[in-house]
PDB file of all heavy atoms in Angstrom:
ATOM      1  N   LEU A  17    -178.155   6.843 -65.455  1.00  0.00           N
ATOM      2  CA  LEU A  17    -176.894   7.575 -65.525  1.00  0.00           C
ATOM      3  C   LEU A  17    -176.250   7.817 -64.161  1.00  0.00           C
ATOM      4  O   LEU A  17    -175.029   7.923 -64.069  1.00  0.00           O
ATOM      5  CB  LEU A  17    -177.108   8.933 -66.204  1.00  0.00           C
ATOM      6  CG  LEU A  17    -177.127   8.934 -67.718  1.00  0.00           C
ATOM      7  CD1 LEU A  17    -177.468  10.321 -68.233  1.00  0.00           C
ATOM      8  CD2 LEU A  17    -175.795   8.470 -68.290  1.00  0.00           C
ATOM      9  N   THR A  18    -177.057   7.934 -63.112  1.00  0.00           N
ATOM     10  CA  THR A  18    -176.500   8.322 -61.809  1.00  0.00           C
ATOM     11  C   THR A  18    -176.345   7.171 -60.826  1.00  0.00           C
ATOM     12  O   THR A  18    -175.633   7.321 -59.838  1.00  0.00           O
ATOM     13  CB  THR A  18    -177.355   9.433 -61.162  1.00  0.00           C
ATOM     14  OG1 THR A  18    -178.677   8.937 -60.908  1.00  0.00           O
ATOM     15  CG2 THR A  18    -177.427  10.669 -62.048  1.00  0.00           C
ATOM     16  N   ALA A  19    -176.997   6.057 -61.080  1.00  0.00           N
ATOM     17  CA  ALA A  19    -176.921   4.912 -60.152  1.00  0.00           C
ATOM     18  C   ALA A  19    -175.471   4.462 -60.004  1.00  0.00           C
ATOM     19  O   ALA A  19    -174.785   4.196 -60.992  1.00  0.00           O
ATOM     20  CB  ALA A  19    -177.780   3.765 -60.654  1.00  0.00           C
ATOM     21  N   GLY A  20    -175.012   4.408 -58.777  1.00  0.00           N
ATOM     22  CA  GLY A  20    -173.678   3.912 -58.512  1.00  0.00           C
ATOM     23  C   GLY A  20    -172.557   4.915 -58.728  1.00  0.00           C
ATOM     24  O   GLY A  20    -171.398   4.615 -58.436  1.00  0.00           O
ATOM     25  N   GLU A  21    -172.867   6.108 -59.239  1.00  0.00           N
ATOM     26  CA  GLU A  21    -171.829   7.129 -59.452  1.00  0.00           C
ATOM     27  C   GLU A  21    -171.764   8.032 -58.226  1.00  0.00           C
ATOM     28  O   GLU A  21    -172.726   8.728 -57.919  1.00  0.00           O
ATOM     29  CB  GLU A  21    -172.126   7.969 -60.698  1.00  0.00           C
ATOM     30  CG  GLU A  21    -171.161   9.117 -60.906  1.00  0.00           C
ATOM     31  CD  GLU A  21    -169.692   8.714 -60.837  1.00  0.00           C
ATOM     32  OE1 GLU A  21    -169.277   7.837 -61.618  1.00  0.00           O
ATOM     33  OE2 GLU A  21    -168.969   9.263 -59.980  1.00  0.00           O
ATOM     34  N   PRO A  22    -170.633   8.051 -57.513  1.00  0.00           N
ATOM     35  CA  PRO A  22    -170.549   8.828 -56.280  1.00  0.00           C
ATOM     36  C   PRO A  22    -170.272  10.322 -56.479  1.00  0.00           C
ATOM     37  O   PRO A  22    -170.406  11.091 -55.540  1.00  0.00           O
ATOM     38  CB  PRO A  22    -169.390   8.168 -55.526  1.00  0.00           C
ATOM     39  CG  PRO A  22    -168.515   7.617 -56.604  1.00  0.00           C
ATOM     40  CD  PRO A  22    -169.457   7.194 -57.700  1.00  0.00           C
ATOM     41  N   ASP A  23    -169.897  10.737 -57.685  1.00  0.00           N
ATOM     42  CA  ASP A  23    -169.549  12.140 -57.891  1.00  0.00           C
ATOM     43  C   ASP A  23    -170.793  12.969 -58.189  1.00  0.00           C
ATOM     44  O   ASP A  23    -171.409  12.845 -59.251  1.00  0.00           O
ATOM     45  CB  ASP A  23    -168.539  12.283 -59.034  1.00  0.00           C
ATOM     46  CG  ASP A  23    -167.976  13.686 -59.080  1.00  0.00           C
ATOM     47  OD1 ASP A  23    -168.728  14.613 -59.446  1.00  0.00           O
ATOM     48  OD2 ASP A  23    -166.801  13.863 -58.733  1.00  0.00           O
ATOM     49  N   GLY A  24    -171.171  13.812 -57.241  1.00  0.00           N
ATOM     50  CA  GLY A  24    -172.377  14.615 -57.373  1.00  0.00           C
ATOM     51  C   GLY A  24    -172.329  15.603 -58.518  1.00  0.00           C
ATOM     52  O   GLY A  24    -173.332  15.843 -59.180  1.00  0.00           O
ATOM     53  N   VAL A  25    -171.168  16.186 -58.790  1.00  0.00           N
ATOM     54  CA  VAL A  25    -171.051  17.148 -59.890  1.00  0.00           C
ATOM     55  C   VAL A  25    -171.282  16.448 -61.226  1.00  0.00           C
ATOM     56  O   VAL A  25    -171.999  16.956 -62.090  1.00  0.00           O
ATOM     57  CB  VAL A  25    -169.691  17.878 -59.857  1.00  0.00           C
ATOM     58  CG1 VAL A  25    -169.496  18.734 -61.100  1.00  0.00           C
ATOM     59  CG2 VAL A  25    -169.579  18.735 -58.604  1.00  0.00           C
ATOM     60  N   ALA A  26    -170.703  15.278 -61.388  1.00  0.00           N
ATOM     61  CA  ALA A  26    -170.911  14.510 -62.622  1.00  0.00           C
ATOM     62  C   ALA A  26    -172.385  14.164 -62.783  1.00  0.00           C
ATOM     63  O   ALA A  26    -172.940  14.268 -63.887  1.00  0.00           O
ATOM     64  CB  ALA A  26    -170.063  13.238 -62.602  1.00  0.00           C
ATOM     65  N   ASN A  27    -173.030  13.781 -61.691  1.00  0.00           N
ATOM     66  CA  ASN A  27    -174.445  13.431 -61.764  1.00  0.00           C
ATOM     67  C   ASN A  27    -175.303  14.642 -62.113  1.00  0.00           C
ATOM     68  O   ASN A  27    -176.212  14.550 -62.941  1.00  0.00           O
ATOM     69  CB  ASN A  27    -174.898  12.783 -60.458  1.00  0.00           C
ATOM     70  CG  ASN A  27    -174.352  11.377 -60.311  1.00  0.00           C
ATOM     71  OD1 ASN A  27    -173.997  10.731 -61.286  1.00  0.00           O
ATOM     72  ND2 ASN A  27    -174.275  10.907 -59.083  1.00  0.00           N
ATOM     73  N   MET A  28    -175.006  15.793 -61.508  1.00  0.00           N
ATOM     74  CA  MET A  28    -175.766  16.997 -61.854  1.00  0.00           C
ATOM     75  C   MET A  28    -175.537  17.387 -63.311  1.00  0.00           C
ATOM     76  O   MET A  28    -176.472  17.800 -64.007  1.00  0.00           O
ATOM     77  CB  MET A  28    -175.386  18.162 -60.924  1.00  0.00           C
ATOM     78  CG  MET A  28    -175.940  18.026 -59.527  1.00  0.00           C
ATOM     79  SD  MET A  28    -175.598  19.465 -58.480  1.00  0.00           S
ATOM     80  CE  MET A  28    -173.891  19.147 -58.034  1.00  0.00           C
ATOM     81  N   ALA A  29    -174.310  17.264 -63.799  1.00  0.00           N
ATOM     82  CA  ALA A  29    -174.014  17.619 -65.185  1.00  0.00           C
ATOM     83  C   ALA A  29    -174.791  16.741 -66.162  1.00  0.00           C
ATOM     84  O   ALA A  29    -175.394  17.238 -67.119  1.00  0.00           O
ATOM     85  CB  ALA A  29    -172.512  17.504 -65.444  1.00  0.00           C
ATOM     86  N   ASN A  30    -174.791  15.445 -65.918  1.00  0.00           N
ATOM     87  CA  ASN A  30    -175.535  14.551 -66.802  1.00  0.00           C
ATOM     88  C   ASN A  30    -177.035  14.814 -66.738  1.00  0.00           C
ATOM     89  O   ASN A  30    -177.722  14.785 -67.760  1.00  0.00           O
ATOM     90  CB  ASN A  30    -175.237  13.089 -66.473  1.00  0.00           C
ATOM     91  CG  ASN A  30    -174.139  12.528 -67.343  1.00  0.00           C
ATOM     92  OD1 ASN A  30    -173.911  12.977 -68.452  1.00  0.00           O
ATOM     93  ND2 ASN A  30    -173.446  11.525 -66.826  1.00  0.00           N
ATOM     94  N   VAL A  31    -177.559  15.084 -65.562  1.00  0.00           N
ATOM     95  CA  VAL A  31    -178.995  15.339 -65.441  1.00  0.00           C
ATOM     96  C   VAL A  31    -179.363  16.671 -66.089  1.00  0.00           C
ATOM     97  O   VAL A  31    -180.412  16.781 -66.721  1.00  0.00           O
ATOM     98  CB  VAL A  31    -179.456  15.239 -63.980  1.00  0.00           C
ATOM     99  CG1 VAL A  31    -180.897  15.709 -63.823  1.00  0.00           C
ATOM    100  CG2 VAL A  31    -179.321  13.794 -63.501  1.00  0.00           C
ATOM    101  N   ALA A  32    -178.507  17.681 -65.980  1.00  0.00           N
ATOM    102  CA  ALA A  32    -178.774  18.943 -66.682  1.00  0.00           C
ATOM    103  C   ALA A  32    -178.887  18.700 -68.185  1.00  0.00           C
ATOM    104  O   ALA A  32    -179.788  19.232 -68.849  1.00  0.00           O
ATOM    105  CB  ALA A  32    -177.687  19.972 -66.371  1.00  0.00           C
ATOM    106  N   ALA A  33    -178.005  17.871 -68.719  1.00  0.00           N
ATOM    107  CA  ALA A  33    -178.066  17.539 -70.152  1.00  0.00           C
ATOM    108  C   ALA A  33    -179.347  16.774 -70.481  1.00  0.00           C
ATOM    109  O   ALA A  33    -179.967  17.018 -71.531  1.00  0.00           O
ATOM    110  CB  ALA A  33    -176.836  16.732 -70.554  1.00  0.00           C
ATOM    111  N   LEU A  34    -179.747  15.863 -69.602  1.00  0.00           N
ATOM    112  CA  LEU A  34    -181.002  15.133 -69.836  1.00  0.00           C
ATOM    113  C   LEU A  34    -182.205  16.072 -69.818  1.00  0.00           C
ATOM    114  O   LEU A  34    -183.101  15.947 -70.663  1.00  0.00           O
ATOM    115  CB  LEU A  34    -181.197  14.057 -68.767  1.00  0.00           C
ATOM    116  CG  LEU A  34    -180.343  12.810 -68.868  1.00  0.00           C
ATOM    117  CD1 LEU A  34    -180.567  11.921 -67.641  1.00  0.00           C
ATOM    118  CD2 LEU A  34    -180.636  12.035 -70.144  1.00  0.00           C
ATOM    119  N   LEU A  35    -182.249  16.984 -68.869  1.00  0.00           N
ATOM    120  CA  LEU A  35    -183.360  17.939 -68.812  1.00  0.00           C
ATOM    121  C   LEU A  35    -183.459  18.712 -70.121  1.00  0.00           C
ATOM    122  O   LEU A  35    -184.538  18.892 -70.679  1.00  0.00           O
ATOM    123  CB  LEU A  35    -183.168  18.906 -67.642  1.00  0.00           C
ATOM    124  CG  LEU A  35    -183.348  18.295 -66.253  1.00  0.00           C
ATOM    125  CD1 LEU A  35    -182.729  19.196 -65.185  1.00  0.00           C
ATOM    126  CD2 LEU A  35    -184.825  18.048 -65.968  1.00  0.00           C
ATOM    127  N   TRP A  36    -182.324  19.150 -70.621  1.00  0.00           N
ATOM    128  CA  TRP A  36    -182.271  19.913 -71.878  1.00  0.00           C
ATOM    129  C   TRP A  36    -182.776  19.066 -73.049  1.00  0.00           C
ATOM    130  O   TRP A  36    -183.488  19.554 -73.918  1.00  0.00           O
ATOM    131  CB  TRP A  36    -180.833  20.373 -72.116  1.00  0.00           C
ATOM    132  CG  TRP A  36    -180.672  21.342 -73.222  1.00  0.00           C
ATOM    133  CD1 TRP A  36    -180.284  21.069 -74.507  1.00  0.00           C
ATOM    134  CD2 TRP A  36    -180.893  22.751 -73.161  1.00  0.00           C
ATOM    135  NE1 TRP A  36    -180.239  22.221 -75.236  1.00  0.00           N
ATOM    136  CE2 TRP A  36    -180.609  23.266 -74.425  1.00  0.00           C
ATOM    137  CE3 TRP A  36    -181.293  23.616 -72.148  1.00  0.00           C
ATOM    138  CZ2 TRP A  36    -180.712  24.630 -74.729  1.00  0.00           C
ATOM    139  CZ3 TRP A  36    -181.396  24.959 -72.436  1.00  0.00           C
ATOM    140  CH2 TRP A  36    -181.116  25.455 -73.708  1.00  0.00           C
ATOM    141  N   GLU A  37    -182.401  17.802 -73.036  1.00  0.00           N
ATOM    142  CA  GLU A  37    -182.783  16.890 -74.118  1.00  0.00           C
ATOM    143  C   GLU A  37    -184.259  16.490 -74.051  1.00  0.00           C
ATOM    144  O   GLU A  37    -184.924  16.390 -75.081  1.00  0.00           O
ATOM    145  CB  GLU A  37    -181.913  15.629 -74.036  1.00  0.00           C
ATOM    146  CG  GLU A  37    -182.080  14.664 -75.181  1.00  0.00           C
ATOM    147  CD  GLU A  37    -181.454  15.141 -76.469  1.00  0.00           C
ATOM    148  OE1 GLU A  37    -180.458  15.867 -76.425  1.00  0.00           O
ATOM    149  OE2 GLU A  37    -181.983  14.770 -77.529  1.00  0.00           O
ATOM    150  N   PHE A  38    -184.773  16.283 -72.857  1.00  0.00           N
ATOM    151  CA  PHE A  38    -186.114  15.733 -72.700  1.00  0.00           C
ATOM    152  C   PHE A  38    -187.223  16.779 -72.688  1.00  0.00           C
ATOM    153  O   PHE A  38    -188.352  16.468 -73.057  1.00  0.00           O
ATOM    154  CB  PHE A  38    -186.206  14.915 -71.397  1.00  0.00           C
ATOM    155  CG  PHE A  38    -185.792  13.492 -71.548  1.00  0.00           C
ATOM    156  CD1 PHE A  38    -184.455  13.151 -71.712  1.00  0.00           C
ATOM    157  CD2 PHE A  38    -186.733  12.475 -71.534  1.00  0.00           C
ATOM    158  CE1 PHE A  38    -184.068  11.828 -71.856  1.00  0.00           C
ATOM    159  CE2 PHE A  38    -186.361  11.155 -71.681  1.00  0.00           C
ATOM    160  CZ  PHE A  38    -185.018  10.831 -71.847  1.00  0.00           C
ATOM    161  N   LEU A  39    -186.934  17.975 -72.221  1.00  0.00           N
ATOM    162  CA  LEU A  39    -187.987  18.972 -72.039  1.00  0.00           C
ATOM    163  C   LEU A  39    -187.866  20.071 -73.093  1.00  0.00           C
ATOM    164  O   LEU A  39    -186.879  20.818 -73.102  1.00  0.00           O
ATOM    165  CB  LEU A  39    -187.922  19.566 -70.631  1.00  0.00           C
ATOM    166  CG  LEU A  39    -188.045  18.541 -69.504  1.00  0.00           C
ATOM    167  CD1 LEU A  39    -187.895  19.226 -68.150  1.00  0.00           C
ATOM    168  CD2 LEU A  39    -189.354  17.778 -69.584  1.00  0.00           C
ATOM    169  N   PRO A  40    -188.848  20.186 -73.961  1.00  0.00           N
ATOM    170  CA  PRO A  40    -188.775  21.199 -75.020  1.00  0.00           C
ATOM    171  C   PRO A  40    -188.998  22.605 -74.472  1.00  0.00           C
ATOM    172  O   PRO A  40    -189.529  22.791 -73.373  1.00  0.00           O
ATOM    173  CB  PRO A  40    -189.911  20.794 -75.969  1.00  0.00           C
ATOM    174  CG  PRO A  40    -190.883  20.065 -75.105  1.00  0.00           C
ATOM    175  CD  PRO A  40    -190.062  19.370 -74.054  1.00  0.00           C
ATOM    176  N   ASP A  41    -188.607  23.577 -75.253  1.00  0.00           N
ATOM    177  CA  ASP A  41    -188.887  24.989 -75.002  1.00  0.00           C
ATOM    178  C   ASP A  41    -188.228  25.498 -73.724  1.00  0.00           C
ATOM    179  O   ASP A  41    -188.835  26.219 -72.941  1.00  0.00           O
ATOM    180  CB  ASP A  41    -190.406  25.220 -74.974  1.00  0.00           C
ATOM    181  CG  ASP A  41    -190.776  26.687 -75.147  1.00  0.00           C
ATOM    182  OD1 ASP A  41    -189.959  27.450 -75.712  1.00  0.00           O
ATOM    183  OD2 ASP A  41    -191.867  27.066 -74.701  1.00  0.00           O
ATOM    184  N   LEU A  42    -186.964  25.108 -73.510  1.00  0.00           N
ATOM    185  CA  LEU A  42    -186.185  25.624 -72.388  1.00  0.00           C
ATOM    186  C   LEU A  42    -185.109  26.564 -72.926  1.00  0.00           C
ATOM    187  O   LEU A  42    -184.618  26.383 -74.041  1.00  0.00           O
ATOM    188  CB  LEU A  42    -185.489  24.494 -71.624  1.00  0.00           C
ATOM    189  CG  LEU A  42    -186.343  23.425 -70.973  1.00  0.00           C
ATOM    190  CD1 LEU A  42    -185.445  22.429 -70.237  1.00  0.00           C
ATOM    191  CD2 LEU A  42    -187.356  24.022 -70.028  1.00  0.00           C
ATOM    192  N   ASN A  43    -184.723  27.537 -72.117  1.00  0.00           N
ATOM    193  CA  ASN A  43    -183.523  28.304 -72.435  1.00  0.00           C
ATOM    194  C   ASN A  43    -182.473  28.181 -71.326  1.00  0.00           C
ATOM    195  O   ASN A  43    -181.392  28.740 -71.438  1.00  0.00           O
ATOM    196  CB  ASN A  43    -183.840  29.770 -72.750  1.00  0.00           C
ATOM    197  CG  ASN A  43    -184.455  30.520 -71.607  1.00  0.00           C
ATOM    198  OD1 ASN A  43    -185.273  29.984 -70.864  1.00  0.00           O
ATOM    199  ND2 ASN A  43    -184.087  31.776 -71.449  1.00  0.00           N
ATOM    200  N   TRP A  44    -182.800  27.417 -70.264  1.00  0.00           N
ATOM    201  CA  TRP A  44    -181.834  27.149 -69.197  1.00  0.00           C
ATOM    202  C   TRP A  44    -182.325  25.950 -68.406  1.00  0.00           C
ATOM    203  O   TRP A  44    -183.512  25.845 -68.102  1.00  0.00           O
ATOM    204  CB  TRP A  44    -181.702  28.362 -68.268  1.00  0.00           C
ATOM    205  CG  TRP A  44    -180.417  28.431 -67.523  1.00  0.00           C
ATOM    206  CD1 TRP A  44    -179.293  29.088 -67.926  1.00  0.00           C
ATOM    207  CD2 TRP A  44    -180.101  27.840 -66.252  1.00  0.00           C
ATOM    208  NE1 TRP A  44    -178.297  28.931 -66.976  1.00  0.00           N
ATOM    209  CE2 TRP A  44    -178.771  28.174 -65.944  1.00  0.00           C
ATOM    210  CE3 TRP A  44    -180.814  27.059 -65.357  1.00  0.00           C
ATOM    211  CZ2 TRP A  44    -178.141  27.756 -64.780  1.00  0.00           C
ATOM    212  CZ3 TRP A  44    -180.186  26.639 -64.188  1.00  0.00           C
ATOM    213  CH2 TRP A  44    -178.862  26.991 -63.913  1.00  0.00           C
ATOM    214  N   ALA A  45    -181.404  25.065 -68.067  1.00  0.00           N
ATOM    215  CA  ALA A  45    -181.735  23.894 -67.243  1.00  0.00           C
ATOM    216  C   ALA A  45    -180.507  23.533 -66.438  1.00  0.00           C
ATOM    217  O   ALA A  45    -179.427  23.340 -66.990  1.00  0.00           O
ATOM    218  CB  ALA A  45    -182.145  22.711 -68.117  1.00  0.00           C
ATOM    219  N   GLY A  46    -180.677  23.464 -65.118  1.00  0.00           N
ATOM    220  CA  GLY A  46    -179.527  23.088 -64.316  1.00  0.00           C
ATOM    221  C   GLY A  46    -179.773  23.173 -62.833  1.00  0.00           C
ATOM    222  O   GLY A  46    -180.917  23.112 -62.369  1.00  0.00           O
ATOM    223  N   PHE A  47    -178.674  23.312 -62.112  1.00  0.00           N
ATOM    224  CA  PHE A  47    -178.672  23.219 -60.657  1.00  0.00           C
ATOM    225  C   PHE A  47    -178.016  24.436 -60.022  1.00  0.00           C
ATOM    226  O   PHE A  47    -177.055  24.988 -60.556  1.00  0.00           O
ATOM    227  CB  PHE A  47    -177.866  21.987 -60.211  1.00  0.00           C
ATOM    228  CG  PHE A  47    -178.503  20.691 -60.587  1.00  0.00           C
ATOM    229  CD1 PHE A  47    -178.321  20.147 -61.850  1.00  0.00           C
ATOM    230  CD2 PHE A  47    -179.288  20.003 -59.675  1.00  0.00           C
ATOM    231  CE1 PHE A  47    -178.909  18.944 -62.202  1.00  0.00           C
ATOM    232  CE2 PHE A  47    -179.880  18.794 -60.019  1.00  0.00           C
ATOM    233  CZ  PHE A  47    -179.696  18.268 -61.283  1.00  0.00           C
ATOM    234  N   TYR A  48    -178.553  24.790 -58.878  1.00  0.00           N
ATOM    235  CA  TYR A  48    -177.857  25.638 -57.919  1.00  0.00           C
ATOM    236  C   TYR A  48    -177.700  24.781 -56.674  1.00  0.00           C
ATOM    237  O   TYR A  48    -178.639  24.115 -56.259  1.00  0.00           O
ATOM    238  CB  TYR A  48    -178.660  26.898 -57.594  1.00  0.00           C
ATOM    239  CG  TYR A  48    -178.509  27.979 -58.636  1.00  0.00           C
ATOM    240  CD1 TYR A  48    -179.371  28.053 -59.717  1.00  0.00           C
ATOM    241  CD2 TYR A  48    -177.486  28.921 -58.527  1.00  0.00           C
ATOM    242  CE1 TYR A  48    -179.229  29.038 -60.669  1.00  0.00           C
ATOM    243  CE2 TYR A  48    -177.337  29.913 -59.483  1.00  0.00           C
ATOM    244  CZ  TYR A  48    -178.204  29.972 -60.551  1.00  0.00           C
ATOM    245  OH  TYR A  48    -178.050  30.947 -61.500  1.00  0.00           O
ATOM    246  N   ARG A  49    -176.515  24.784 -56.074  1.00  0.00           N
ATOM    247  CA  ARG A  49    -176.272  23.980 -54.895  1.00  0.00           C
ATOM    248  C   ARG A  49    -176.121  24.877 -53.678  1.00  0.00           C
ATOM    249  O   ARG A  49    -175.733  26.033 -53.791  1.00  0.00           O
ATOM    250  CB  ARG A  49    -175.051  23.081 -55.053  1.00  0.00           C
ATOM    251  CG  ARG A  49    -174.042  23.573 -55.911  1.00  0.00           C
ATOM    252  CD  ARG A  49    -172.879  22.717 -56.302  1.00  0.00           C
ATOM    253  NE  ARG A  49    -171.894  23.683 -56.746  1.00  0.00           N
ATOM    254  CZ  ARG A  49    -171.057  24.292 -55.943  1.00  0.00           C
ATOM    255  NH1 ARG A  49    -171.000  24.001 -54.681  1.00  0.00           N
ATOM    256  NH2 ARG A  49    -170.239  25.189 -56.419  1.00  0.00           N
ATOM    257  N   VAL A  50    -176.459  24.342 -52.528  1.00  0.00           N
ATOM    258  CA  VAL A  50    -176.345  25.093 -51.285  1.00  0.00           C
ATOM    259  C   VAL A  50    -174.887  25.059 -50.838  1.00  0.00           C
ATOM    260  O   VAL A  50    -174.263  23.999 -50.802  1.00  0.00           O
ATOM    261  CB  VAL A  50    -177.267  24.509 -50.199  1.00  0.00           C
ATOM    262  CG1 VAL A  50    -177.056  25.220 -48.864  1.00  0.00           C
ATOM    263  CG2 VAL A  50    -178.725  24.609 -50.639  1.00  0.00           C
ATOM    264  N   ALA A  51    -174.370  26.253 -50.520  1.00  0.00           N
ATOM    265  CA  ALA A  51    -172.982  26.381 -50.070  1.00  0.00           C
ATOM    266  C   ALA A  51    -172.897  27.550 -49.095  1.00  0.00           C
ATOM    267  O   ALA A  51    -173.809  28.378 -49.042  1.00  0.00           O
ATOM    268  CB  ALA A  51    -172.068  26.618 -51.273  1.00  0.00           C
ATOM    269  N   PRO A  52    -171.806  27.621 -48.337  1.00  0.00           N
ATOM    270  CA  PRO A  52    -171.641  28.779 -47.461  1.00  0.00           C
ATOM    271  C   PRO A  52    -171.582  30.067 -48.284  1.00  0.00           C
ATOM    272  O   PRO A  52    -171.027  30.085 -49.382  1.00  0.00           O
ATOM    273  CB  PRO A  52    -170.300  28.522 -46.770  1.00  0.00           C
ATOM    274  CG  PRO A  52    -170.070  27.057 -46.901  1.00  0.00           C
ATOM    275  CD  PRO A  52    -170.719  26.656 -48.198  1.00  0.00           C
ATOM    276  N   ALA A  53    -172.144  31.127 -47.738  1.00  0.00           N
ATOM    277  CA  ALA A  53    -172.076  32.429 -48.394  1.00  0.00           C
ATOM    278  C   ALA A  53    -170.630  32.914 -48.389  1.00  0.00           C
ATOM    279  O   ALA A  53    -169.804  32.433 -47.605  1.00  0.00           O
ATOM    280  CB  ALA A  53    -172.985  33.419 -47.676  1.00  0.00           C
ATOM    281  N   LYS A  54    -170.322  33.847 -49.256  1.00  0.00           N
ATOM    282  CA  LYS A  54    -168.968  34.397 -49.309  1.00  0.00           C
ATOM    283  C   LYS A  54    -168.517  34.886 -47.934  1.00  0.00           C
ATOM    284  O   LYS A  54    -167.364  34.742 -47.572  1.00  0.00           O
ATOM    285  CB  LYS A  54    -168.916  35.563 -50.296  1.00  0.00           C
ATOM    286  CG  LYS A  54    -168.805  35.162 -51.726  1.00  0.00           C
ATOM    287  CD  LYS A  54    -168.638  36.431 -52.559  1.00  0.00           C
ATOM    288  CE  LYS A  54    -168.520  36.133 -54.015  1.00  0.00           C
ATOM    289  NZ  LYS A  54    -168.375  37.368 -54.799  1.00  0.00           N
ATOM    290  N   SER A  55    -169.448  35.464 -47.196  1.00  0.00           N
ATOM    291  CA  SER A  55    -169.112  35.973 -45.867  1.00  0.00           C
ATOM    292  C   SER A  55    -168.880  34.849 -44.872  1.00  0.00           C
ATOM    293  O   SER A  55    -168.319  35.069 -43.812  1.00  0.00           O
ATOM    294  CB  SER A  55    -170.241  36.869 -45.359  1.00  0.00           C
ATOM    295  OG  SER A  55    -171.418  36.098 -45.158  1.00  0.00           O
ATOM    296  N   GLY A  56    -169.356  33.646 -45.218  1.00  0.00           N
ATOM    297  CA  GLY A  56    -169.185  32.496 -44.345  1.00  0.00           C
ATOM    298  C   GLY A  56    -170.202  32.417 -43.224  1.00  0.00           C
ATOM    299  O   GLY A  56    -170.217  31.461 -42.473  1.00  0.00           O
ATOM    300  N   GLU A  57    -171.053  33.432 -43.093  1.00  0.00           N
ATOM    301  CA  GLU A  57    -172.015  33.464 -41.996  1.00  0.00           C
ATOM    302  C   GLU A  57    -173.337  32.790 -42.328  1.00  0.00           C
ATOM    303  O   GLU A  57    -174.057  32.396 -41.433  1.00  0.00           O
ATOM    304  CB  GLU A  57    -172.273  34.914 -41.581  1.00  0.00           C
ATOM    305  CG  GLU A  57    -171.031  35.591 -41.032  1.00  0.00           C
ATOM    306  CD  GLU A  57    -171.263  37.057 -40.767  1.00  0.00           C
ATOM    307  OE1 GLU A  57    -172.432  37.489 -40.698  1.00  0.00           O
ATOM    308  OE2 GLU A  57    -170.272  37.785 -40.641  1.00  0.00           O
ATOM    309  N   GLU A  58    -173.679  32.699 -43.597  1.00  0.00           N
ATOM    310  CA  GLU A  58    -174.967  32.142 -44.010  1.00  0.00           C
ATOM    311  C   GLU A  58    -174.748  31.164 -45.146  1.00  0.00           C
ATOM    312  O   GLU A  58    -173.645  31.000 -45.634  1.00  0.00           O
ATOM    313  CB  GLU A  58    -175.893  33.270 -44.479  1.00  0.00           C
ATOM    314  CG  GLU A  58    -176.196  34.303 -43.430  1.00  0.00           C
ATOM    315  CD  GLU A  58    -177.048  35.427 -43.993  1.00  0.00           C
ATOM    316  OE1 GLU A  58    -177.682  35.241 -45.040  1.00  0.00           O
ATOM    317  OE2 GLU A  58    -177.063  36.490 -43.367  1.00  0.00           O
ATOM    318  N   ARG A  59    -175.870  30.557 -45.563  1.00  0.00           N
ATOM    319  CA  ARG A  59    -175.828  29.700 -46.741  1.00  0.00           C
ATOM    320  C   ARG A  59    -176.490  30.439 -47.892  1.00  0.00           C
ATOM    321  O   ARG A  59    -177.354  31.287 -47.688  1.00  0.00           O
ATOM    322  CB  ARG A  59    -176.567  28.396 -46.491  1.00  0.00           C
ATOM    323  CG  ARG A  59    -175.980  27.570 -45.385  1.00  0.00           C
ATOM    324  CD  ARG A  59    -176.757  26.318 -45.119  1.00  0.00           C
ATOM    325  NE  ARG A  59    -178.178  26.609 -44.975  1.00  0.00           N
ATOM    326  CZ  ARG A  59    -179.162  25.778 -45.298  1.00  0.00           C
ATOM    327  NH1 ARG A  59    -178.895  24.595 -45.762  1.00  0.00           N
ATOM    328  NH2 ARG A  59    -180.411  26.118 -45.132  1.00  0.00           N
ATOM    329  N   GLU A  60    -176.091  30.095 -49.092  1.00  0.00           N
ATOM    330  CA  GLU A  60    -176.715  30.642 -50.286  1.00  0.00           C
ATOM    331  C   GLU A  60    -176.638  29.595 -51.393  1.00  0.00           C
ATOM    332  O   GLU A  60    -175.992  28.567 -51.240  1.00  0.00           O
ATOM    333  CB  GLU A  60    -176.060  31.956 -50.712  1.00  0.00           C
ATOM    334  CG  GLU A  60    -174.606  31.836 -51.084  1.00  0.00           C
ATOM    335  CD  GLU A  60    -173.941  33.193 -51.331  1.00  0.00           C
ATOM    336  OE1 GLU A  60    -174.631  34.222 -51.337  1.00  0.00           O
ATOM    337  OE2 GLU A  60    -172.729  33.204 -51.510  1.00  0.00           O
TER     338      GLU A  60
END
């Protein structure tokens, strides 16, 4: 699903769906990405 696709958000979305489909007994599956903090001084 991700080979050759340059859009990281699309790739994360498809993989989140795959995790949900492949792994039983989940109530949440997905990503948190590293970004600047609201204050702009740190990452979160």
Side-chain angles (χ1 to χ4, degrees):
L17 278 175
T18 63
E21 175 50 57
D23 191 290
V25 172
N27 287 338
M28 286 185 281
N30 265 334
V31 171
L34 285 174
L35 290 163
W36 190 262
E37 187 73 30
F38 273 73
L39 302 177
D41 198 23
L42 299 182
N43 62 322
W44 204 92
F47 293 84
Y48 279 90
R49 29 188 200 86
V50 175
K54 279 185 180 179
S55 66
E57 296 174 17
E58 300 177 19
R59 298 178 310 150
E60 62 187 353

